[in-house]
Amino acid sequence: MAKNSSKAYGLNEIRNVGIIAHIDAGKTTTTERFLYYSGKTHRIGEVDNGNTVMDYLDEERERGITIVAASASFPWTSDGNSQLIHLIDTPGHIDFTAEVERSLRVCDGAVVIFSAVEGVEAQSEKVWRQSSKYKLPKIAFINKLDRMGASYARVRAEMQEKFNDVTICPIQMPVGEESTLEGIVDLIDGNFLWFEGDDGSDVRSEDIPDDLKNDFEVAREEMLAILADYSDIIAEAYLEERAIDSETLVREIRGLAIQGDIVPLFAGSAKKNIGIQPLLDGIVRYLPNPEERGVVQAVNPSSGAVEEIGIDDSDFTGLVFKVLAGGSADLLYIRSYSGVLRLNDKLLNPRTGEKIKVKRLLRLYSKNVEPVDEIGAGDIAGVIGPAGVATGDTLCSPSHPLLLESITFPDPIISIAVEPKSSKDKDRLDEVLRILCREDPTLQAVTHETTGQRLLSGMGELHLEINCDRLRNEFKIEAKFGMQQVAFRETLLNPAKVRGEFKKTIADQEVWAEVEIELEPAPKLPEGLAVSSELPKNLPLEWRESASSTLLNGMKTGGNWGYPLIYIKALITELKGDSTKTTDAAVAGAVLDALHAALGHGTKLLEPLVRLEILAPENVIGEITGYIQARRAVIHGIDDAGPSKKLLCEVPLAEMFGFGTALPKLSGGRASFSMEP
């Protein structure tokens, strides 16, 4: 056994956890404390000082935000047992939602952080929904309770209102708020915890002071009442007024959290080093190990049959969830789901058919890596692999090819023209753009068919700005950048049933095909476009595949205004051909003719909207409201948020350019905003 191999930890001693939140809620600050208290680092990194371990890119340290998800593995001893925590710190800004998506895809649980001042914000809801999509058990942490305007009760109530599919269950009670925050009361063990020393590393446990005993009894009674609704064991003891020991409470809370019935709620202040060690204990106590997440489904690429992968299966199967592009080799972040992977093993990429020899296995620690000899099931590690591997690919044993469910990412919504200042940099620019797009699936680089311009598309202004900075600073390419443009879309006005025909004489040979297609608008279709077929199986497979692929690609190419189509369901109902006259190309021609006929019925232009939240003092909210109404905003409401007001509205994305510069001028620098598509 390798000394530094995580196989030294049993499956029940591993936690794969993502830390998610709205921007500036304190994810990275909390993570830096995790690393420090676990002994992984010897100083506490601070975002404001630009010396964090997890925010390691120059752009991250300059801007004080997380841009890329960073993974770190560290030990934590809880209840006398040493555990290995694989933690992924994710960005909070909506432009980098791909980093959150790919991280949650491979995690077994999530820590959701909320600011005690701002409460549940737009991106808070977004990341919560993303974690729920993968059915991840969660624990929550109300942070920044030391700040002016902080309110534990208000944020807790807001969480329960917004996330009413689960029950928020407080298992701690903060002692004081704002400048009076002293520590926390543990509702399970019934003690007062306070954190001594400049670094908060000395956790002291005392009996609850007399002036807090009444509040403690009320809070604990409420916790037990919540748990009794879900646990027969607690309900029985609660009704009989029998004492419930801490071990039973922890066991029942763990089970309910893993089932997704409750979300245990913690409290504190990462900046003031209050409540972080109990939160680490909470990760171990209440979030599942890989074995508890159960079997995973995969598809056999040869037969198409669905198979279940158990954590104890002998064949290795893993999912690549992140790629750091290099020269001839990339660093692949991989989550293993079964088997053991050792140095010099061979892996298969079923998507490409390529075989990979594992020459290096790495334990991930932010931008640093540590070599290991093997990894087991349920692990997260790094593999050096060829440039042909993409995010979402499965790597598995060649003897048992399988395809895990890939990772889906949203389409870009904003574009910018990029051109090298010198013609000698053209090839270099194209290569670097390919690298950027390989690392970030929400980036797309294409060459415009008409103008020949290179267009870089992404998720927002900041997303493109960061990548343009990388071109200049990291890759040393001098480039010119055009104005940012919104990615419009088109959809059909009405359902259409159309026929298309292709009939030509090529080299004295008549070529012919005819199709019938039904198309209908499908607002908010998750995949955007859906193509199905009623064609009989006795038609040649090549004809049927040509019809489906041509129709899908044709809708992506553009409508009457030249923008790609979206929100359309298409059904191919009929395909006529002749074995001597019909070719794949003829079928494609007939489909495009039918699509042209459908577009003739009319399309309408769609533009991306964003949901905008603005937090500002009451005395400037009127001026801000007038400003955004002039930009076609639809205002949904103005809510109280402590001493401030929270403005909720929808705005066309095209109107948001420059808003980040305008808002500080309107509010004297006292307002903040967030948005999501």
Side-chain angles (χ1 to χ4, degrees):
M1 189 71 65
K3 180 182 177 184
N4 53 0
S5 168
S6 68
K7 285 289 285 181
Y9 291 89
L11 278 172
N12 64 334
E13 297 168 330
I14 294 177
R15 300 291 185 275
N16 296 315
V17 178
I19 188 164
I20 56 177
H22 184 89
I23 189 171
D24 203 31
K27 294 180 303 303
T28 301
T29 302
T30 303
T31 302
E32 292 294 320
R33 270 72 182 168
F34 285 175
L35 298 177
Y36 179 74
Y37 295 138
S38 70
K40 193 69 179 178
T41 58
H42 302 293
R43 62 165 176 78
I44 298 178
E46 298 289 359
V47 173
D48 294 342
N49 297 338
N51 62 355
T52 58
V53 172
M54 301 301 270
D55 285 352
Y56 58 86
L57 294 179
D58 290 341
E59 289 87 352
E60 292 179 310
R61 291 184 168 180
E62 287 172 9
R63 298 168 186 267
I65 62 171
T66 302
I67 294 170
V68 298
S71 180
S73 302
F74 58 88
W76 181 250
T77 299
S78 177
D79 300 326
N81 297 315
S82 179
Q83 315 278 329
L84 181 67
I85 297 176
H86 297 304
L87 187 79
I88 303 179
D89 178 25
T90 65
H93 197 286
I94 186 63
D95 283 16
F96 310 108
T97 186
E99 296 291 322
V100 181
E101 191 73 31
R102 62 166 137 215
S103 301
L104 294 179
R105 169 67 177 82
V106 297
C107 286
D108 298 321
V111 180
V112 195
I113 297 183
F114 298 88
S115 166
V117 180
E118 287 82 8
V120 180
E121 300 175 88
Q123 187 66 359
S124 309
E125 294 185 61
K126 172 71 172 177
V127 297
W128 188 284
R129 291 196 302 270
Q130 284 176 289
S131 66
S132 296
K133 181 174 77 173
Y134 294 113
K135 297 181 172 60
L136 291 186
K138 293 179 276 286
I139 62 176
F141 179 62
I142 296 181
N143 188 28
K144 300 189 176 184
L145 278 164
D146 61 304
R147 281 182 52 194
M148 184 69 69
S151 171
Y152 174 84
R154 172 174 53 81
V155 177
R156 179 198 159 190
E158 195 175 345
M159 290 171 64
Q160 191 59 73
E161 179 187 351
K162 295 285 179 69
F163 311 126
N164 54 19
D165 56 329
V166 297
T167 298
I168 308 300
C169 181
I171 60 173
Q172 293 179 345
M173 180 183 81
V175 179
E177 281 180 355
E178 299 181 336
S179 60
T180 64
L181 181 67
E182 295 180 44
I184 56 175
V185 167
D186 186 326
L187 301 181
I188 294 173
D189 291 327
N191 52 10
F192 171 44
L193 300 176
W194 53 295
F195 304 82
E196 280 197 321
D198 293 338
D199 59 4
S201 58
D202 187 7
V203 183
R204 297 296 182 93
S205 175
E206 295 182 352
D207 291 337
I208 297 174
D210 290 340
D211 61 338
L212 290 176
K213 283 184 177 177
N214 185 59
D215 290 340
F216 163 71
E217 293 294 343
V218 172
R220 181 178 166 88
E221 185 79 7
E222 184 182 14
M223 177 190 73
L224 293 176
I226 290 172
L227 296 175
D229 285 341
Y230 297 97
S231 166
D232 291 340
I233 292 174
I234 293 179
E236 186 176 327
Y238 181 67
L239 291 172
E240 295 176 1
E241 298 183 353
R242 283 190 284 108
I244 307 172
D245 61 88
S246 300
E247 188 177 333
T248 300
L249 281 172
V250 169
R251 186 180 65 248
E252 292 300 298
I253 292 171
R254 176 180 179 79
L256 296 174
I258 291 174
Q259 287 171 208
D261 293 328
I262 68 168
V263 174
L265 181 61
F266 295 76
S269 167
K271 189 78 172 176
K272 295 293 184 180
N273 306 315
I274 295 174
I276 302 303
Q277 295 94 327
L279 183 60
L280 275 166
D281 288 336
I283 290 175
V284 172
R285 287 176 176 173
Y286 306 123
L287 293 180
N289 61 56
E291 197 168 24
E292 289 170 312
R293 286 287 283 164
V295 297
V296 176
Q297 290 191 333
V299 174
N300 186 311
S302 300
S303 65
V306 176
E307 298 185 20
E308 289 189 340
I309 302 172
I311 201 83
D312 54 354
D313 289 357
S314 57
D315 291 315
F316 179 82
T317 310
L319 183 76
V320 176
F321 67 95
K322 185 178 175 71
V323 174
L324 289 184
S328 58
D330 296 341
L331 172 58
L332 312 174
Y333 286 47
I334 189 169
R335 160 70 195 263
S336 64
Y337 286 93
S338 65
V340 176
L341 183 63
R342 300 179 177 87
L343 287 176
N344 298 316
D345 281 356
K346 285 188 177 178
L347 294 175
L348 172 70
N349 182 347
R351 181 180 64 85
T352 63
E354 185 177 14
K355 289 187 178 179
I356 300 163
K357 186 174 183 180
V358 180
K359 295 181 179 178
R360 293 190 72 194
L361 272 174
L362 305 165
R363 175 66 60 229
L364 302 167
Y365 178 50
S366 186
K367 68 175 179 179
N368 304 309
V369 293
E370 302 166 358
V372 293
D373 294 338
E374 64 180 50
I375 62 170
D379 215 334
I380 290 178
V383 176
I384 301 297
V389 180
T391 299
D393 278 353
T394 302
L395 297 181
C396 58
S397 300
S399 60
H400 192 188
L402 287 172
L403 284 169
L404 293 161
E405 182 185 354
S406 191
I407 309 172
T408 56
F409 298 102
D411 291 330
I413 59 174
I414 190 170
S415 302
I416 191 172
V418 182
E419 292 299 330
K421 285 188 176 179
S422 172
S423 58
K424 64 181 174 60
D425 288 334
K426 282 185 177 180
D427 291 342
R428 171 72 174 147
L429 175 61
D430 289 337
E431 174 59 25
V432 170
L433 289 176
R434 280 193 291 272
I435 288 174
L436 293 177
C437 294
R438 203 159 76 238
E439 291 188 349
D440 185 347
T442 56
L443 273 181
Q444 289 182 9
V446 298
T447 301
H448 195 279
E449 293 180 5
T450 306
T451 65
Q453 279 185 317
R454 292 167 180 80
L455 295 178
L456 183 64
S457 303
M459 299 306 298
E461 282 186 277
L462 182 61
H463 191 205
L464 292 179
E465 184 183 327
I466 293 290
N467 282 281
C468 290
D469 285 347
R470 289 190 67 190
L471 282 173
R472 283 189 292 255
N473 302 328
E474 185 178 334
F475 296 100
K476 309 302 181 187
I477 292 179
E478 288 297 319
K480 297 177 288 186
F481 304 102
M483 295 292 292
Q484 293 176 343
Q485 299 176 344
V486 169
F488 290 93
R489 294 288 186 268
E490 294 179 53
T491 194
L492 291 175
L493 283 171
N494 299 296
K497 185 174 183 178
V498 291
R499 299 191 71 85
E501 185 179 22
F502 183 88
K503 191 173 184 180
K504 281 191 177 181
T505 301
I506 302 174
D508 297 327
Q509 175 69 41
E510 185 180 349
V511 181
W512 170 80
E514 188 176 340
V515 296
E516 182 180 78
I517 304 173
E518 295 178 0
L519 302 100
E520 63 173 317
K524 306 305 178 188
L525 184 69
E527 59 269 38
L529 298 169
V531 173
S532 57
S533 168
E534 285 183 348
L535 300 179
K537 294 294 195 308
N538 60 353
L539 286 175
L541 177 62
E542 295 81 6
W543 294 6
R544 289 182 278 132
E545 289 182 343
S546 176
S548 296
S549 62
T550 301
L551 180 55
L552 183 61
N553 292 330
M555 290 192 290
K556 290 179 179 178
T557 300
N560 293 331
W561 284 281
Y563 297 108
L565 297 169
I566 196 171
Y567 302 143
I568 295 175
K569 281 184 180 178
L571 176 66
I572 305 170
T573 56
E574 188 179 356
L575 171 56
K576 292 182 179 179
D578 185 290
S579 59
T580 61
K581 297 181 180 180
T582 303
T583 63
D584 300 351
V587 172
V591 168
L592 292 176
D593 184 55
L595 182 58
H596 180 73
L599 295 176
H601 287 68
T603 61
K604 64 179 176 181
L605 199 62
L606 303 176
E607 65 174 325
L609 298 175
V610 294
R611 184 171 68 160
L612 178 66
E613 284 191 4
I614 301 171
L615 192 70
E618 188 172 2
N619 64 331
V620 298
I621 204 75
E623 190 171 352
I624 294 172
T625 301
Y627 180 88
I628 61 170
Q629 281 182 320
R631 280 150 183 78
R632 298 187 287 146
V634 177
I635 295 175
H636 294 302
I638 300 176
D639 297 336
D640 291 326
S644 301
K645 294 289 185 180
K646 184 185 289 186
L647 177 66
L648 311 171
C649 58
E650 288 182 0
V651 193
L653 177 62
E655 302 286 357
M656 289 301 296
F657 293 155
F659 184 71
T661 304
L663 185 61
K665 295 177 182 176
L666 290 168
S667 65
R670 293 181 295 160
S672 61
F673 77 98
S674 62
M675 62 182 186
E676 66 164 332

